[in-house]
Amino acid sequence: VVQKRVIPIFPNSWKIFPIWLACLGSVCTQYILQQIGGPEGNNLDLLLPKQLLKLLAWIEDFQRACDIGQKGGRTETFKGKPVFVSTHELKTGSRIALPEESLRMVLVMLLDVHRLVEDQFLLATQQQTNHWLDSIYNVDHSKNQTNEGRLITSLPEDLWILARVQLTAIRDIFSFESDVFFHAAAIIFRCIQNKNRSLWTYQYMDVETCCAAANDALRMIHLAEIELEDIKFHSGISEEHFGKLELVIDQLSTQILQDAVLSASTVHIYIFDPIEKALKHRLFELEWEDLTYNDMAVTVVRTIEDYLDDMENWFEESMLRKALDALVKGTVNFYIKHLLEKSIRRRKHTFDKPDRALQRISGDICVFQEFFETWIDRFKPLERVLRLEFEPLHAILKLLKIGYYRTQDNPTKLFLALHRHIQHAELTKFLCCQLWHLLSADAGKYMQELFDASRNHLHFDDQPPLTTLLPSLETKKVIQGCKDKLKNRKVLTAAKKVITKKARSLESRK
């Protein structure tokens, strides 16, 4: 109205538009300062995010209208509260002879206000996003199946609908491109990444939940890419800001992909849980030694096969491959764990029939390996995984054969093979000693001497270069767990002996 109807009827030298902007800015800035609690913004935390957003939008629109002192082009700082145009000055016309000076002071103060309000708005956005994310993750998302049989939940859609609503509300409030939208979008994506990292693993409960979690993670990545494309075509942000948002989304997608792999790899825990219960007190016992066939190993692979039949439908193809890798490692660790638990028992820690036991172990390994080899045609990389993960089982079998048959083969090469997988010299020594302890107590002691004597020329390195194959952390945990059990049992036994000795001494004194 001022530009179209008022300005044309006055001479240009009167500078009506700058005068009007200075007066308008003066009145509005004084009102804004009252609302936010002065130049320090003491009352900003009392304003709602929507109010903060509207205030930011008004300041940026006013700056554009003035076309003076654009945000980021400021070269000086105005200290203290500026003396705005007073009512007396409006009546007398004093100071209005230099309207640009009055307007400059208004814009300087508005820039300070904009900075304070933006910081408060971004903080409120972060808090609000985290609150909503907590609500979304705490809801029980029921599992559903797609037409292809994939298990999913509504979590990805719920999460990205939240993000879309927040970003749309911010985008629609501004008439032009604003840095506020870019910073808010980056904060929302970071909140999703952090919350996803801290809460993702809490939803694991069973095989079906792991399958749904892995599939959900892949869909979250797809929805993140869609959201980024929507920002590109509808938000009008600069190429520089879009490139930065792409980097944030890439980091978010990498984190979510890691969560997907973790979900798929966790299924082996729940698959081996019923196997543990069924074979806990039977594997490596006399019943196992006397079997004609490797029935217990067959029980293991049939249980895995039953789950895999379902997981072929429940999982996305890429996640099924990750689950298979985890099952290979889980099978190897399951077998080593029970073999060690047999060796650390107080009674019956040796095989009753060592020759039969070696036949059973050899047969069990063949059953396990042949089962997983049936999947190689579908997943070619699984062949390398099998070769690497089954190496310690073949080394264990060879080591037991050397100890039992007293062959002339040098076992030190097997020490290196096992250490290459475990990457811990003391745990490798413990494993080797306990393996021969299964044959006899004397053999276990001899192995300890043999291993210590070989340290000088084998040069075990517990910290290999990053370029080498990383050790299996699960295998280290299994061996360390058995070692700790044995240590605790020895401590408890020693304590019992001391207590018994003191009790007998007291009785003799009486």
Side-chain angles (χ1 to χ4, degrees):
V1 174
V2 174
Q3 286 179 305
K4 293 181 179 180
R5 297 186 181 182
V6 178
I7 293 177
I9 66 177
F10 292 96
N12 292 335
S13 61
W14 287 22
K15 299 181 180 180
I16 297 298
F17 189 57
I19 291 173
W20 176 76
L21 283 176
C23 294
L24 175 64
S26 171
V27 173
C28 292
T29 303
Q30 291 184 60
Y31 176 74
I32 291 171
L33 289 172
Q34 290 175 3
Q35 295 297 314
I36 68 172
E40 296 80 16
N42 296 323
N43 296 334
L44 278 174
D45 57 343
L46 302 178
L47 298 180
L48 297 175
K50 189 174 183 180
Q51 293 172 314
L52 295 169
L53 189 59
K54 287 184 177 181
L55 181 54
L56 288 170
W58 183 88
I59 293 174
E60 294 191 9
D61 285 344
F62 184 79
Q63 289 173 333
R64 287 180 181 275
C66 295
D67 197 26
I68 299 174
Q70 292 291 331
K71 184 181 178 184
R74 176 176 166 186
T75 59
E76 59 180 301
T77 302
F78 186 85
K79 297 182 179 179
K81 183 177 180 180
V83 181
F84 297 115
V85 182
S86 65
T87 304
H88 173 72
E89 290 167 338
L90 288 174
K91 291 179 180 180
T92 62
S94 60
R95 290 187 63 226
I96 299 181
L98 297 173
E100 290 86 355
E101 180 65 20
S102 298
L103 184 57
R104 185 189 67 82
M105 289 190 292
V106 169
L107 289 172
V108 167
M109 181 54 74
L110 282 177
L111 283 172
D112 283 337
V113 172
H114 187 283
R115 175 180 55 79
L116 292 172
V117 175
E118 182 178 5
D119 290 345
Q120 182 63 34
F121 172 72
L122 295 178
L123 177 61
T125 299
Q126 181 179 6
Q127 293 172 343
Q128 189 178 60
T129 302
N130 285 331
H131 174 71
W132 285 350
L133 286 173
D134 285 338
S135 299
I136 289 174
Y137 273 95
N138 290 333
V139 171
D140 183 18
H141 297 276
S142 58
K143 292 183 286 292
N144 301 303
Q145 281 188 285
T146 64
N147 294 333
E148 296 81 14
R150 304 288 188 263
L151 286 174
I152 61 172
T153 72
S154 61
L155 175 62
E157 286 76 15
D158 294 345
L159 190 147
W160 284 108
I161 286 174
L162 159 68
R164 175 67 62 87
V165 168
Q166 282 187 294
L167 292 175
T168 302
I170 298 170
R171 181 175 58 202
D172 291 347
I173 207 75
F174 290 97
S175 304
F176 304 91
E177 177 194 341
S178 172
D179 289 352
V180 175
F181 176 83
F182 160 70
H183 292 303
I187 283 177
I188 291 171
F189 295 151
R190 290 294 187 195
C191 287
I192 292 174
Q193 180 181 355
N194 294 334
K195 194 64 65 175
N196 200 70
R197 182 189 296 119
S198 62
L199 295 179
W200 192 264
T201 55
Y202 290 126
Q203 56 190 323
Y204 300 153
M205 293 182 292
D206 50 37
V207 173
E208 293 183 12
T209 306
C210 291
C211 293
N215 295 334
D216 284 351
L218 295 181
R219 286 166 49 240
M220 286 177 69
I221 295 173
H222 177 64
L223 291 173
E225 293 171 352
I226 293 176
E227 189 62 37
L228 187 63
E229 288 298 309
D230 182 76
I231 291 173
K232 180 178 181 180
F233 291 110
H234 298 100
S235 299
I237 65 173
S238 65
E239 291 186 5
E240 180 185 0
H241 282 168
F242 182 75
K244 291 180 179 179
L245 280 183
E246 273 190 314
L247 180 61
V248 174
I249 289 293
D250 285 344
Q251 293 172 348
L252 172 61
S253 298
T254 300
Q255 175 64 45
I256 295 175
L257 184 60
Q258 292 173 353
D259 293 332
V261 173
L262 178 61
S263 301
S265 302
T266 306
V267 296
H268 78 277
I269 297 174
Y270 304 102
I271 291 175
F272 274 95
D273 186 53
I275 297 174
E276 287 271 2
K277 293 176 181 177
L279 300 181
K280 184 174 183 180
H281 301 293
R282 299 174 60 198
L283 196 61
F284 301 118
E285 297 298 327
L286 183 60
E287 174 194 1
W288 168 79
E289 293 178 13
D290 288 338
L291 290 173
T292 305
Y293 303 102
N294 298 83
D295 295 341
M296 294 188 187
V298 171
T299 298
V300 173
V301 298
R302 282 182 178 173
T303 304
I304 296 174
E305 187 177 25
D306 289 342
Y307 277 103
L308 283 172
D309 287 341
D310 291 326
M311 289 194 298
E312 281 188 89
N313 295 322
W314 294 346
F315 265 130
E316 293 289 347
E317 189 78 357
S318 59
M319 292 297 103
L320 180 61
R321 155 74 204 290
K322 298 299 180 182
L324 266 171
D325 290 353
L327 283 169
V328 171
K329 297 175 183 178
T331 302
V332 172
N333 292 330
F334 165 81
Y335 206 72
I336 292 175
K337 173 187 173 184
H338 283 274
L339 198 59
L340 283 175
E341 286 184 346
K342 165 77 174 178
S343 72
I344 63 175
R345 292 176 189 169
R346 184 180 290 106
R347 299 176 181 177
K348 295 185 178 181
H349 60 80
T350 58
F351 294 128
D352 291 282
K353 303 172 183 177
D355 56 336
R356 293 284 297 169
L358 293 178
Q359 292 177 22
R360 289 279 71 78
I361 292 174
S362 178
D364 288 348
I365 295 173
C366 287
V367 169
F368 296 146
Q369 197 158 355
E370 288 174 1
F371 167 73
F372 287 112
E373 285 174 351
T374 60
W375 289 86
I376 291 178
D377 290 339
R378 185 169 174 180
F379 301 107
K380 293 295 183 182
L382 186 62
E383 184 175 6
R384 178 176 177 273
V385 174
L386 285 174
R387 184 175 67 255
L388 294 174
E389 295 299 331
F390 271 84
E391 182 184 22
L393 284 186
H394 290 296
I396 286 171
L397 178 60
K398 290 179 182 178
L399 199 61
L400 286 170
K401 285 182 176 180
I402 292 173
Y404 178 68
Y405 294 114
R406 304 290 182 179
T407 63
Q408 299 300 316
D409 295 334
N410 188 359
T412 56
K413 294 182 179 179
L414 300 175
F415 299 164
L416 286 174
L418 290 171
H419 181 267
R420 187 164 54 248
H421 190 80
I422 302 169
Q423 292 298 346
H424 194 287
E426 286 303 315
L427 292 181
T428 304
K429 174 185 175 181
F430 175 76
L431 174 61
C432 295
C433 293
Q434 293 306 122
L435 288 174
W436 276 24
H437 193 66
L438 287 166
L439 303 174
S440 70
D442 292 337
K445 294 177 182 179
Y446 177 69
M447 170 56 73
Q448 185 172 352
E449 297 173 0
L450 186 63
F451 193 95
D452 289 337
S454 67
R455 280 178 180 268
N456 296 329
H457 63 275
L458 290 182
H459 305 294
F460 295 111
D461 185 6
D462 289 351
Q463 295 182 341
L466 294 176
T467 53
T468 62
L469 179 68
L470 292 177
S472 172
L473 295 178
E474 287 297 323
T475 305
K476 291 178 71 173
K477 289 180 181 179
V478 165
I479 299 174
Q480 186 65 57
C482 291
K483 185 177 181 181
D484 291 342
K485 281 184 181 179
L486 181 60
K487 181 179 179 180
N488 293 338
R489 197 191 71 199
K490 288 181 177 179
V491 171
L492 184 61
T493 302
K496 286 181 178 179
K497 288 181 179 179
V498 171
I499 293 172
T500 303
K501 185 176 180 180
K502 288 184 177 180
R504 288 176 178 174
S505 175
L506 289 174
E507 289 178 2
S508 61
R509 290 178 182 177
K510 290 179 180 181

